[in-house]
Amino acid sequence: AQKAIQEIVSHTELTDYFLAKHNILNEQTIIQNQGKTIKPDRMVISQKKEVYLLDYKTGVHQAKYQLQLENYQSAIEKMGYKVTKKALVYIGKSIDVVHL
Protein backbone atom coordinates (compact mmCIF):
# COMPACT_ATOMS: atom_id res chain seq x y z
CA ALA A 1 0.00 0.00 0.00
CA GLN A 2 2.84 2.40 0.84
CA LYS A 3 4.41 1.79 -2.58
CA ALA A 4 1.11 2.54 -4.35
CA ILE A 5 0.65 5.76 -2.37
CA GLN A 6 4.16 6.90 -3.25
CA GLU A 7 3.57 6.11 -6.94
CA ILE A 8 0.35 8.15 -6.96
CA VAL A 9 1.79 11.17 -5.12
CA SER A 10 4.87 11.27 -7.37
CA HIS A 11 3.08 10.41 -10.64
CA THR A 12 4.00 12.98 -13.28
CA GLU A 13 0.42 13.19 -14.59
CA LEU A 14 -0.90 14.02 -11.10
CA THR A 15 1.48 16.77 -9.98
CA ASP A 16 -1.21 19.48 -9.77
CA TYR A 17 -3.34 17.31 -7.50
CA PHE A 18 -0.65 17.13 -4.81
CA LEU A 19 0.90 20.62 -4.67
CA ALA A 20 1.06 21.89 -1.09
CA LYS A 21 0.00 25.42 -2.10
CA HIS A 22 -3.53 24.21 -2.94
CA ASN A 23 -6.43 23.69 -0.54
CA ILE A 24 -6.99 19.92 -0.36
CA LEU A 25 -10.27 18.29 0.64
CA ASN A 26 -10.17 14.51 1.02
CA GLU A 27 -13.48 12.63 1.14
CA GLN A 28 -15.36 15.82 1.95
CA THR A 29 -19.13 15.27 1.98
CA ILE A 30 -21.05 17.81 -0.10
CA ILE A 31 -24.80 18.10 0.47
CA GLN A 32 -26.66 19.07 -2.68
CA ASN A 33 -29.89 21.11 -2.86
CA GLN A 34 -31.97 17.97 -3.32
CA GLY A 35 -30.55 16.54 -0.08
CA LYS A 36 -28.33 14.04 -1.90
CA THR A 37 -24.72 13.81 -0.85
CA ILE A 38 -21.54 13.25 -2.83
CA LYS A 39 -18.06 12.52 -1.55
CA PRO A 40 -15.20 12.93 -4.04
CA ASP A 41 -12.03 11.12 -2.97
CA ARG A 42 -9.89 14.23 -3.52
CA MET A 43 -10.97 17.76 -4.35
CA VAL A 44 -8.22 20.31 -4.89
CA ILE A 45 -9.02 24.03 -4.90
CA SER A 46 -6.26 26.00 -6.57
CA GLN A 47 -5.25 29.55 -5.70
CA LYS A 48 -7.21 30.62 -8.80
CA LYS A 49 -10.34 28.93 -7.33
CA GLU A 50 -10.22 26.20 -9.97
CA VAL A 51 -11.15 22.70 -8.82
CA TYR A 52 -9.35 19.48 -9.69
CA LEU A 53 -11.20 16.23 -8.98
CA LEU A 54 -9.54 12.89 -8.36
CA ASP A 55 -11.21 9.57 -7.65
CA TYR A 56 -9.45 6.32 -6.84
CA LYS A 57 -10.66 2.97 -8.21
CA THR A 58 -9.54 -0.63 -8.40
CA GLY A 59 -10.19 -3.01 -11.26
CA VAL A 60 -10.87 -2.00 -14.85
CA HIS A 61 -12.15 1.28 -16.24
CA GLN A 62 -15.93 1.45 -16.31
CA ALA A 63 -18.21 4.09 -17.82
CA LYS A 64 -20.10 4.43 -14.51
CA TYR A 65 -16.94 5.79 -12.87
CA GLN A 66 -16.67 8.51 -15.50
CA LEU A 67 -20.35 9.35 -14.99
CA GLN A 68 -19.78 9.56 -11.23
CA LEU A 69 -16.97 12.08 -11.72
CA GLU A 70 -19.11 14.11 -14.14
CA ASN A 71 -21.88 14.21 -11.52
CA TYR A 72 -19.35 15.48 -8.97
CA GLN A 73 -18.28 18.18 -11.43
CA SER A 74 -21.88 19.28 -12.04
CA ALA A 75 -22.61 19.54 -8.31
CA ILE A 76 -19.42 21.49 -7.60
CA GLU A 77 -20.00 23.88 -10.50
CA LYS A 78 -23.52 24.59 -9.19
CA MET A 79 -21.73 25.86 -6.07
CA GLY A 80 -19.93 28.46 -8.20
CA TYR A 81 -16.59 26.72 -8.75
CA LYS A 82 -15.03 25.78 -12.08
CA VAL A 83 -13.74 22.22 -12.45
CA THR A 84 -10.78 22.40 -14.83
CA LYS A 85 -9.24 18.95 -14.28
CA LYS A 86 -10.62 15.57 -13.37
CA ALA A 87 -9.10 12.13 -13.40
CA LEU A 88 -9.65 8.56 -12.30
CA VAL A 89 -6.69 6.76 -10.76
CA TYR A 90 -6.81 2.99 -11.09
CA ILE A 91 -4.76 1.20 -8.47
CA GLY A 92 -3.55 -2.28 -9.35
CA LYS A 93 -0.27 -3.84 -10.38
CA SER A 94 0.47 -0.42 -11.80
CA ILE A 95 -1.04 3.04 -11.41
CA ASP A 96 -3.14 4.03 -14.41
CA VAL A 97 -4.46 7.57 -14.79
CA VAL A 98 -7.50 8.30 -16.96
CA HIS A 99 -8.01 12.03 -17.57
CA LEU A 100 -11.57 13.06 -18.29
Side-chain angles (χ1 to χ4, degrees):
Q2 184 67 29
K3 181 179 180 248
I5 292 168
Q6 188 57 44
E7 284 183 42
I8 292 168
V9 172
S10 62
H11 199 290
T12 56
E13 292 182 59
L14 299 174
T15 303
D16 286 343
Y17 293 90
F18 293 96
L19 292 175
K21 67 181 180 179
H22 297 317
N23 186 14
I24 309 295
L25 301 171
N26 289 313
E27 295 188 10
Q28 182 71 44
T29 299
I30 298 169
I31 301 171
Q32 299 174 273
N33 287 341
Q34 312 88 331
K36 295 180 182 177
T37 61
I38 60 171
K39 191 186 288 191
D41 288 339
R42 187 174 188 87
M43 190 168 79
V44 179
I45 304 173
S46 76
Q47 293 175 327
K48 295 179 181 180
K49 301 295 185 201
E50 295 176 337
V51 174
Y52 313 146
L53 291 173
L54 201 60
D55 229 44
Y56 305 107
K57 303 294 180 191
T58 57
V60 297
H61 180 62
Q62 296 182 38
K64 69 179 182 180
Y65 297 149
Q66 180 173 341
L67 182 60
Q68 179 185 35
L69 215 54
E70 288 169 358
N71 287 337
Y72 291 167
Q73 176 177 358
S74 176
I76 291 164
E77 289 186 343
K78 284 179 183 171
M79 295 168 51
Y81 291 93
K82 176 82 175 138
V83 176
T84 57
K85 295 182 186 195
K86 56 186 186 288
L88 293 166
V89 177
Y90 289 92
I91 303 166
K93 290 181 181 176
S94 65
I95 303 298
D96 296 315
V97 178
V98 177
H99 297 281
L100 303 172

